[in-house]
């Protein structure tokens, strides 16, 4: 799109309304500094000191004139920008702003660090430092390096452990396998409880809740990454409404359920609307009936002719495979007696017994 | 449940074990009562239309009240709006039946009409078959209607047309499918089947526990 220069247009309009409009030229000692990306104009000219010390109405008038002049200069700068017509020929004229240069200060205070968890406090107290664990562990029985956990872990598959020793101080009647499972369940539940407690503590302290699941780790599955991408898209000031899609991201239709299973009409919804919908459905169903019958009759006639031709020639026809299969299906369901099936079978019954049998033998 | 102890000697209780849930019937797919979807409505109307034709709109659009179809546990019920509002206050596990059951959707989403719909099919039936008193009982036991038991049949009944079966005293006995058209019924031998049995009022006694 060609950039439209509108200064001439403005000057022409100016000449027409020269008496009514104020002057658009503003005289300033120092030039203003403009950051058009932020729509910012910085005026370093010292204001008229006498005017500011005067009474309120004069001060107001002076400030208003100052604001008007500076705005005029800013708008004049905006009109200098390359502009285009948005939305085709008749759309509004839109200027393309440059990148903002001025770094705006933070609106909200920076997030505070989260409070240390119970374990972190304890570790700091005792001086326990984090040891980096090796990913592979030497397995004596298998005589090779195996993973610490996961598929083919060192120490064998825990599901296949066939021996569980009864400890000396335990009840001999107790089921050891059940005990191990129960303890694992309790451990998992306790860990989960503590994790939630730490989150609650961080939330109560007013700090940012650690968004650990939202940071890329490299071990996330496709679904997790999709979920994270969705969260990131929605985390804008407009809740993701004007967020452009990534090159290969599919356009997601807004689901009112939020990803839950399919949605049905409300139970006690508008019954009158439901009734009218059903009547319309009935009307549609009723109107189509004669058309289908004619088609069926024509097809039946054609098939009859084909069957006769096949019987006369004794050669294989192209539609015999379907007829052969239909013949097999009739044998299974005798009671239902669907009109279509029987009607199709009867004209072909004379020839399909040989034709279908021939096809079946070949297959 | 054992209470574990943290290194500091404080009691750390783990999360409570989930309560054992009451046993549910295994085939509850969507337990909630809900209106029929477009496809389901079409299937039901097609099936009903085979017996009563365009009189379905008399069922849908009634002058004496608003009646509607609702699906509950794969069964289609026909009930008035008043009854529906009352039925919403019953928990879905305890709700057995509401209004009149017209039929059910099978596992493959085909609609099967049941005998409990007879009261609504009989007055609007387009094609009727009257059965002789001698073979009434045979039909009520679930057998097909033979030519020897056929009393009357509506003129120009097509083959495989849905028909409602009556006794000679005009009492609706059930419904079925015409095995032969009216013309063929005249010519066929007495032991041939003329009406395939689909449902009869004897099922109220035979299948007492499975009818809803």
């Amino acid at each position: 799109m060609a950039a439209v220069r509108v200064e001439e247009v403005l000057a022409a309009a100016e000449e027409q309304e020269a008496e009514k409009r104020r002057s658009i030229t503003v005289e300033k000692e120092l030039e203003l500094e403009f950051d058009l990306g932020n729509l910012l104009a910085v005026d370093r000219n010292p204001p008229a000191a006498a005017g500011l010390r005067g009474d309120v109405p004069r001060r107001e008038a002076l400030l208003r004139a100052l604001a008007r002049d500076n705005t005029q200069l800013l708008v004049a700068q905006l009109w200098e920008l390359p502009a285009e017509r948005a939305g085709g020929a008749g759309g509004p004229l839109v200027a393309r702003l440059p990148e903002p240069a001025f770094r705006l200060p933070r609106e909200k205070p920076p997030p505070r660090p989260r409070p240390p968890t119970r374990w972190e406090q304890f570790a700091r107290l005792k001086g326990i430092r984090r040891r980096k664990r090796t990913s592979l562990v030497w397995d004596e029985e298998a005589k090779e390096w195996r993973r610490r956990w996961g598929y083919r872990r060192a120490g064998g598959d825990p599901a296949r452990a066939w021996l569980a020793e009864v400890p000396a101080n335990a009840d001999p009647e107790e089921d050891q396998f059940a005990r191990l499972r129960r303890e694992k369940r309790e451990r998992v539940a306790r860990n989960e409880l503590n994790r939630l407690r730490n989150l609650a503590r961080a939330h109560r302290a007013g700090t940012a809740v650690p968004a650990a699941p939202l940071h890329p780790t490299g071990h996330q599955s496709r679904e997790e990454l999709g979920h994270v991408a969705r969260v990131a898209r929605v985390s804008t000031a407009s809740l993701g409404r004007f967020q452009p899609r990534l090159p290969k991201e599919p356009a997601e239709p807004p689901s009112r359920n939020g990803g839950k299973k399919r949605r049905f009409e409300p139970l006690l919804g508008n019954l009158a609307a439901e009734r009218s919908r059903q009547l319309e459905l009935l009307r549609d169903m009723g109107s189509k009936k004669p058309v289908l019958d004619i088609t069926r009759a024509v097809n039946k006639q054609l098939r009859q002719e084909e069957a006769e031709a096949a019987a006369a020639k004794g050669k294989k026809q192209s539609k015999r495979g379907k007829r052969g299969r239909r013949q097999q299906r009739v044998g299974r369901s005798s009671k239902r007696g669907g009109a279509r099936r029987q009607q199709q079978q009867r004209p072909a019954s004379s020839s399909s017994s040989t034709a279908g049998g021939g096809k079946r033998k070949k297959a | 449940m054992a209470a574990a102890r943290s290194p500091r000697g404080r009691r750390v209780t783990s999360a409570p074990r989930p309560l054992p849930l009451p046993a549910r019937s295994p085939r509850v797919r969507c337990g909630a009562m809900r209106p029929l979807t477009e496809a389901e409505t079409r299937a039901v109307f097609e099936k009903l239309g085979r017996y009563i034709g365009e009189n379905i709109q008399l069922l849908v659009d009634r002058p004496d009240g608003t009646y509607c179809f609702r699906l509950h546990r794969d069964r289609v019920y026909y009930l008035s709006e008043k009854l529906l509002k009352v039925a919403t206050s019953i928990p879905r596990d305890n709700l057995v039946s509401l209004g009149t059951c017209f039929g059910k959707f099978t596992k493959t989403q085909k609609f099967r009409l049941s005998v409990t719909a007879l009261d609504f099919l009989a007055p609007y039936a387009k094609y009727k078959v009257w059965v002789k008193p001698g073979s009434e009982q045979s039909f009520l036991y679930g057998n097909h209607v033979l030519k020897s038991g056929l009393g009357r049949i509506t003129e120009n009944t097509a083959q495989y047309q849905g028909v409602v079966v009556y006794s000679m005293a005009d009492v609706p006995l059930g419904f079925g499918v015409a095995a032969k058209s009216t013309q063929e019924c005249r010519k066929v031998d007495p032991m041939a089947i003329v009406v395939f049995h689909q449902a009869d009022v004897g099922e109220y006694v035979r299948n007492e526990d499975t009818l809803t």
Side-chain angles (χ1 to χ4, degrees):
Chain A
M1 289 223 194
V4 175
R5 302 282 301 183
V6 293
E7 276 204 323
E8 294 94 12
V9 175
L10 216 122
E14 252 280 304
E15 281 159 18
Q16 288 171 20
E17 303 175 337
E19 309 88 36
K20 292 181 211 168
R21 297 188 73 224
R22 290 195 203 174
S23 164
I24 61 162
T25 55
V26 178
E27 293 292 332
K28 290 274 184 185
E29 287 176 8
L30 283 173
E31 282 296 318
L32 268 58
E33 293 168 16
F34 293 101
D35 178 17
L36 293 173
N38 279 322
L39 296 181
L40 176 71
V42 181
D43 183 5
R44 294 200 187 274
N45 292 305
L52 286 180
R53 263 187 304 223
D55 54 340
V56 176
R58 256 186 68 194
R59 200 162 56 206
E60 274 298 315
L62 180 72
L63 287 173
R64 205 173 290 254
L66 194 64
R68 196 236 143 236
D69 288 342
N70 288 340
T71 314
Q72 181 65 65
L73 286 170
L74 178 63
V75 169
Q77 283 290 312
L78 285 177
W79 277 110
E80 302 246 342
L81 288 174
E84 62 206 27
R85 290 242 165 232
L93 197 64
V94 172
R96 221 177 299 152
L97 296 177
E99 287 295 313
F102 189 82
R103 272 186 70 199
L104 290 167
R106 286 185 80 92
E107 182 202 340
K108 299 222 166 45
R112 279 183 286 169
R114 62 176 173 85
T117 64
R118 278 180 60 101
W119 166 253
E120 282 174 359
Q121 294 169 22
F122 176 75
R124 200 186 315 140
L125 197 69
K126 292 277 182 171
I128 300 170
R129 274 208 246 134
R130 180 152 175 77
R131 273 178 306 160
K132 183 97 195 266
R133 287 182 163 190
T134 59
S135 50
L136 298 176
V137 179
W138 177 251
D139 189 5
E140 257 322 308
E141 292 100 44
K143 298 276 191 298
E144 63 174 3
W145 289 95
R146 289 247 169 113
R147 277 164 232 239
R148 190 177 289 278
W149 52 268
Y151 181 61
R152 288 219 193 120
R153 67 185 71 173
D157 185 7
R160 291 235 202 144
W162 52 271
L163 183 70
E165 283 186 13
V166 180
N169 55 350
D171 176 22
E173 303 288 322
E174 190 190 2
D175 182 1
Q176 294 304 313
F177 296 108
R179 182 184 61 88
L180 289 170
R181 281 198 302 270
R182 189 186 67 232
E183 285 181 354
K184 173 160 178 132
R185 235 182 299 140
E186 285 173 10
R187 273 198 309 269
V188 167
R190 189 182 334 127
N191 279 326
E192 184 64 22
L193 183 74
N194 286 334
R195 183 183 76 88
L196 293 172
R197 274 214 202 122
N198 289 333
L199 273 183
R201 196 177 300 117
H203 187 72
R204 249 187 293 123
T207 59
V209 174
L214 298 178
H215 295 153
T217 60
H219 302 297
Q220 282 157 319
S221 69
R222 189 163 184 262
E223 290 83 27
E224 283 177 35
L225 287 174
H227 170 69
V228 167
R230 226 175 300 135
V231 170
R233 144 180 299 278
V234 172
S235 315
T236 59
S238 326
L239 299 180
R241 275 191 70 188
F242 306 108
Q243 199 70 13
R245 292 240 154 216
L246 296 170
K248 286 193 183 169
E249 205 177 352
E252 206 179 79
S255 67
R256 299 232 216 104
N257 286 359
K260 281 186 244 168
K261 54 189 176 184
R262 63 185 280 209
R263 203 171 170 225
F264 299 108
E265 296 290 317
L267 182 59
L268 278 175
N270 190 357
L271 286 176
E274 188 183 328
R275 191 167 54 189
S276 60
R277 245 184 297 127
Q278 283 177 346
L279 286 173
E280 216 179 279
L281 178 68
L282 279 174
R283 219 178 324 124
D284 290 340
M285 281 167 55
S287 65
K288 283 193 187 136
K289 270 182 190 152
V291 179
L292 269 177
D293 283 343
I294 290 169
T295 324
R296 258 201 274 152
V298 166
N299 286 341
K300 182 174 140 197
Q301 183 62 30
L302 289 174
R303 227 174 290 115
Q304 210 167 2
E305 290 170 0
E306 271 182 23
E308 285 165 8
K313 284 183 192 172
K315 263 199 276 184
K316 286 186 184 171
Q317 294 292 324
S318 58
K319 293 288 177 187
R320 198 173 310 126
K322 279 193 192 168
R323 258 189 265 132
R325 267 179 253 132
R326 252 186 254 124
Q327 187 75 331
Q328 290 179 36
R329 251 193 280 142
V330 162
R332 280 195 213 137
S333 61
S334 56
K335 201 176 172 189
R336 276 296 265 109
R340 288 180 225 112
R341 241 181 278 140
Q342 285 288 75
Q343 276 172 8
Q344 287 155 7
Q345 280 309 312
R346 265 193 306 135
S349 60
S350 57
S351 63
S352 61
S353 50
T354 48
K359 184 70 183 177
R360 251 181 275 136
K361 271 183 229 152
K362 193 190 173 188
Chain B
M1 201 166 358
R5 295 200 174 255
S6 79
R8 286 262 182 112
R10 298 232 192 96
R11 286 185 71 130
V12 176
T13 50
S14 42
R17 197 175 287 157
L19 294 167
L21 289 172
R24 285 187 173 229
S25 67
R27 270 218 63 230
V28 176
R29 258 188 299 173
C30 171
M33 182 182 8
R34 59 169 173 87
L36 300 173
T37 63
E38 169 89 20
E40 287 165 353
T41 321
R42 195 179 285 270
V44 171
F45 284 173
E46 264 177 26
K47 208 48 186 294
L48 283 177
R50 300 181 108 213
Y51 294 92
I52 60 181
E54 65 269 0
N55 291 332
I56 303 179
Q57 41 189 12
L58 294 170
L59 279 181
V60 172
D61 197 8
R62 274 167 74 141
D64 60 334
T66 320
Y67 280 71
C68 57
F69 292 92
R70 286 291 181 267
L71 189 78
H72 177 62
R73 298 229 184 112
D74 292 330
R75 287 195 145 93
V76 175
Y77 297 97
Y78 177 70
L79 64 163
S80 63
E81 176 192 359
K82 190 162 52 77
L83 195 60
L84 176 64
K85 288 188 175 155
V86 169
T88 54
S89 64
I90 302 176
R92 60 174 80 163
D93 288 339
N94 298 350
L95 187 61
V96 173
S97 172
L98 49 159
T100 317
C101 175
F102 264 36
K104 64 181 216 173
F105 277 99
T106 64
K107 275 187 205 144
T108 51
Q109 295 306 311
K110 294 191 176 61
F111 182 65
R112 246 191 109 86
L113 210 55
S114 76
V115 69
T116 41
L118 186 63
D119 289 334
F120 293 94
L121 294 185
Y124 304 118
K126 298 196 78 173
Y127 297 98
K128 306 180 186 184
V129 165
W130 285 262
V131 156
K132 286 185 190 156
S135 66
E136 258 175 41
Q137 191 156 31
S138 164
F139 181 71
L140 288 177
Y141 277 150
N143 302 318
H144 303 303
V145 177
L146 307 177
K147 171 73 191 322
S148 53
L150 183 69
R152 282 209 313 265
I153 184 168
T154 322
E155 197 54 53
N156 58 32
T157 311
Q159 195 180 20
Y160 311 119
Q161 173 70 44
V163 295
V164 177
V165 175
Y166 292 81
S167 75
M168 288 317 272
D170 276 335
V171 173
L173 297 178
F175 50 86
V177 171
K180 305 263 187 284
S181 65
T182 314
Q183 269 86 349
E184 288 180 18
C185 276
R186 297 200 184 105
K187 294 182 253 178
V188 84
D189 62 302
M191 278 297 119
I193 298 175
V194 293
V195 175
F196 292 123
H197 166 282
Q198 282 198 333
D200 64 280
V201 293
E203 284 179 18
Y204 282 109
V205 176
R206 290 203 307 274
N207 306 338
E208 196 180 331
D209 42 357
T210 52
L211 278 180
T212 53

